[in-house]
Amino acid sequence: MNQINPALERILVSEEEISQRVIELADQISEDFKDVKRLYIVGILKGAFIFMADLTRKLSIPHVVDFMALSSYGKSTESGAVRILMDLREPIENQHVLIVEDIVDTGQTLQYLNRILMGRNPASLHTCALVRKVGQSVNIPVDYLGFDIPDVWVVGYGLDYADKFRTLPYVAELKRDSF
Ligand code: 5GP
């Protein structure tokens, strides 16, 4: 398939690369958590829903899925203020928790989530992200990372621009004049 949507600049991570990497990440997570009773997996809406669905279906360990929705006040806010729009269904005290994010840009969202969820006393807290942009302003480690990508606006595989392009099977750079 050579034709891509004219609003897109180029494909950064192909469908094949994603599915291969999802299997590798799921294998790694399954190995690392093979001794826990169950892994409590927290997907961050909306962007992580496709990654979450593919990743969890490749796990070979007991797990439950839950979701959080956050609203960000935008890059311009120094504080990186983030608000919880929808919270988890269960307390996570003494649970082994894995956060699944679509993308780490500045790292503020992940840092905020880490702080909030650590405050609920989980047995452990780890992070997984499909893509991470280079040059983050917040130095937050990602335990399970799909791909490093350039600092451009990307869409597809759950990621949107104005709620469009989410269901593209790949991650692509949006053309500047499409904003
Ligand atoms: P951070 O807090 O790491 O700066 O930003 C994380 C959030 O910003 C992501 O969860 C996502 O909602 C949004 N975001 C940052 N960069 C992009 C991008 O290139 N494409 C899309 N679709 N969302 C992005």
Side-chain angles (χ1 to χ4, degrees), residues 44-48 70 72 74-75 80 82 101-111 131 133 136-138 140 149-156 158-162 164 166 172 179:
I44 308 305
L45 296 173
K46 299 179 191 176
L70 307 172
S72 163
K75 270 189 173 185
V82 182
E101 258 277 36
D102 48 359
I103 186 165
V104 179
D105 181 2
T106 64
Q108 282 174 347
T109 305
L110 209 49
Q111 188 182 50
V131 291
K133 289 189 192 177
Q136 303 154 249
S137 57
V138 178
I140 177 103
I149 57 163
D151 189 7
V152 294
W153 193 265
V154 291
V155 294
L159 291 153
D160 73 313
Y161 174 68
K164 287 185 290 194
R166 276 194 205 280
F179 283 83

Side-chain angles (χ1 to χ4, degrees), residues 113-130:
L113 269 172
N114 253 304
R115 201 174 58 236
I116 294 291
L117 297 186
M118 277 311 284
R120 299 180 186 183
N121 299 318
S124 69
L125 180 63
H126 291 82
T127 53
C128 175
L130 177 69

